[in-house]
Amino acid sequence: MTSGNFIEKGHIMKFRPAIAAATLVAITAAAAAHADDGFYIGGLVGGVSNPDEDFDAGVDLSVFAGYDFGRIGGAGSLRTELQFSGRESEPHGPGADNGSYSEDATFLNVFYDFDMQEDAVWIPYIGLGVGRGRIEYNDYRTGATAMVDGSDTVWGAQAILGLGYQLTNDLRVFADYRYRDWQDTKLTDASGARVSIDNASSSINLGAAYTF
């Protein structure tokens, strides 16, 4: 073995821990850069207001699963989400003291997160969704009509404006506003007449999401 080969191998042996450490740092950095990409799950709870009908404040309980595609363009990142939403409130109009209103809906949402800096922790976002839901009225009176008791399945859409806070690379909490509008619900009242009910609502929500 020549002295040159010995020195060369000796240098390699000497710097092997440093090379390993540098490799580990590079892998960790790459993982962190992509930590926000991938599948995620979460849930939210919200307070619901319905300006079209005479309802008390209601509640929204939702769970969702989605996929974050990472950065799209220079302004932020894109994600899609499947939301399963349940809402319920009680009408307080004449003759409807014991009535109830509920929604069971599924929405496909698309969001754009304005995380313009890689290390941003406060992330505003906007979203749009389209969905289908079962709208149910129990012992509800609209205007001078007879009592309504029934359900209908209709299409709807929602617009979303929110702000998220990145607690860790994997965990995000958020607050948002959602405006939801449904097709008119077609029902038959107690007298046998057909009734068309317009239904739009607003909600303020708090939630959390975990990215895998």
Side-chain angles (χ1 to χ4, degrees), residues 3 29 37-38 44 62 94 97-99 111 114 118 136 143 163 194 208:
S3 60
D37 303 349
L44 66 81
S62 293
D97 293 337
N98 297 318
F111 295 92
F114 293 94
E118 291 287 348
E136 184 172 4
L163 178 65
R194 293 290 289 171

Side-chain angles (χ1 to χ4, degrees), residues 67-148:
Y67 187 83
D68 192 328
F69 293 92
R71 297 188 66 79
I72 303 292
S77 57
L78 182 72
R79 54 190 169 93
T80 59
E81 176 183 292
L82 194 62
Q83 175 192 359
F84 302 95
S85 169
R87 291 185 173 185
E88 187 168 343
S89 61
E90 294 183 354
H92 58 255
D97 293 337
N98 297 318
S100 64
Y101 163 84
S102 63
E103 298 177 12
D104 293 306
T106 302
F107 277 86
L108 178 62
N109 301 319
V110 178
F111 295 92
Y112 194 81
D113 296 325
F114 293 94
D115 49 347
M116 290 174 280
Q117 297 179 351
E118 291 287 348
D119 57 350
V121 292
W122 292 101
I123 304 173
Y125 61 89
I126 58 174
L128 292 173
V130 61
R132 191 157 175 83
R134 181 175 179 269
I135 314 300
E136 184 172 4
Y137 294 85
N138 292 313
D139 299 333
Y140 174 71
R141 188 188 303 275
T142 173
T145 64
M147 200 73 71
V148 172

